[in-house]
Amino acid sequence: MGTATSSMAAKFAFFPPNPPSYNIVVDEATGKLRISDVHQRDDVDVLKLSTKKGNEIVAMYVKNPSASLTVLYSHGNAADLGQMCPIFTELSVHLNVSLMGYDYSGYGHSSGKPSEQDTYADIEAAYKCLEETYGVKEEDIILYGQSVGSGPTLELAVRLPRLRAVILHSPILSGLRVMYPVKRTFWFDIYKNIDKIPLVECPVLVIHGTEDEVVDFSHGKQLWELCKDKYEPLWLKGGNHCNLELYP
């Protein structure tokens, strides 16, 4: 029963776009990687990063010379970098931040198959790249996790006490709790965010739509209540799971 339920939770959690929404091409003039159908920009680096699980993931780094902070963005379920690229570049400008986004193992053109543990290795590789390649300090990083991305975000956040902040966008209490109204944490559950959120030292902002049909609003509300250092939450009245970017 446990194995079957765990398998169901994992199956629910991962829906990589098939086929991927983009290709990786090499720019003839510069020799740099870029995402297909996206105009080559000097302020965007496309990278391939090795994870400790043996996969090679695709990441993109949007540089903002005037920014003092960097967002590390873990995207939602049925998305990949081709779909997120316009949002990343727009956020970089509007929030005046540099931003790194990445595709989980098995998403887009990242190798391997998606799993809970692989996403933890994926975000770790992206964070390591920010530190080692771009010289970004822990205290200047904001972790941003959307939906399933709240899992790797909180896994990393509990290990980094000096983070500037964490943002959770339509987050989940746990994988199993999305499907069943369980009251306690089972060993076979995935993304046990409910148990990790009290351990996060930095300020946490929670964003959730009140009419979310995929991850009930109660998930975001309960996570916010369990935060050690709460930031004023953003409850978007009438907002659903995939349309919060449309709200002012």
Side-chain angles (χ1 to χ4, degrees):
M1 172 65 182
T3 306
T5 311
S6 176
S7 173
M8 284 172 63
K11 198 169 184 180
F12 177 89
F14 305 111
F15 291 112
N18 188 18
S21 71
Y22 68 97
N23 286 307
I24 297 288
V25 295
V26 179
D27 186 84
E28 292 182 7
T30 63
K32 291 174 65 175
L33 296 177
R34 68 179 179 86
I35 289 175
S36 60
D37 302 323
V38 175
H39 180 69
Q40 177 68 43
R41 296 168 50 137
D42 293 336
D43 61 347
V44 175
D45 291 344
V46 177
L47 310 151
K48 289 189 175 181
L49 309 175
S50 297
T51 79
K52 66 182 182 184
K53 299 279 282 183
N55 294 325
E56 190 175 63
I57 62 167
V58 181
M60 65 177 286
Y61 181 64
V62 185
K63 294 170 278 190
N64 186 328
S66 66
S68 59
L69 300 175
T70 298
V71 170
L72 175 50
Y73 196 119
S74 300
H75 63 63
N77 205 346
D80 63 21
L81 286 183
Q83 297 161 331
M84 299 302 295
C85 186
I87 295 171
F88 289 166
T89 52
E90 194 174 323
L91 278 177
S92 174
V93 171
H94 285 288
L95 300 181
N96 193 31
V97 294
S98 295
L99 188 147
M100 174 167 278
Y102 64 100
D103 267 340
Y104 310 119
S105 297
Y107 278 66
H109 287 275
S110 295
S111 68
K113 291 184 177 180
S115 74
E116 179 187 18
Q117 296 303 319
D118 275 298
T119 62
Y120 296 161
D122 300 337
I123 194 172
E124 196 175 297
Y127 175 78
K128 188 176 175 186
C129 175
L130 284 178
E131 273 196 320
E132 297 179 359
T133 303
Y134 297 103
V136 183
K137 296 177 181 175
E138 179 183 329
E139 53 267 32
D140 295 327
I141 292 177
I142 298 167
L143 299 185
Y144 190 122
Q146 181 175 2
S147 187
V148 164
S150 59
T153 292
L154 286 176
E155 173 69 14
L156 185 61
V158 297
R159 295 190 275 125
L160 300 175
R162 298 192 310 277
L163 285 170
R164 178 60 63 96
V166 166
I167 299 171
L168 301 176
H169 173 157
S170 308
I172 64 173
L173 285 167
S174 73
L176 199 58
R177 284 173 173 87
V178 176
M179 300 186 295
Y180 307 114
V182 294
K183 299 297 184 187
R184 66 186 182 92
T185 300
F186 292 89
W187 66 268
F188 52 79
D189 201 354
I190 65 171
Y191 296 133
K192 302 177 183 74
N193 293 340
I194 188 172
D195 299 328
K196 295 174 186 176
I197 192 73
L199 307 176
V200 176
E201 298 291 339
C202 67
V204 178
L205 165 66
V206 182
I207 305 168
H208 215 119
T210 60
E211 301 301 321
D212 194 323
E213 295 173 353
V214 178
V215 179
D216 192 81
F217 171 54
S218 60
H219 286 244
K221 199 162 179 292
Q222 193 171 343
L223 287 171
W224 178 78
E225 288 165 356
L226 291 168
C227 288
K228 186 181 290 184
D229 189 354
K230 299 176 177 66
Y231 196 81
E232 184 181 349
L234 183 56
W235 307 137
L236 291 166
K237 191 172 182 182
N240 207 317
H241 194 67
C242 299
N243 67 354
L244 301 191
E245 293 86 354
L246 304 178
Y247 285 73

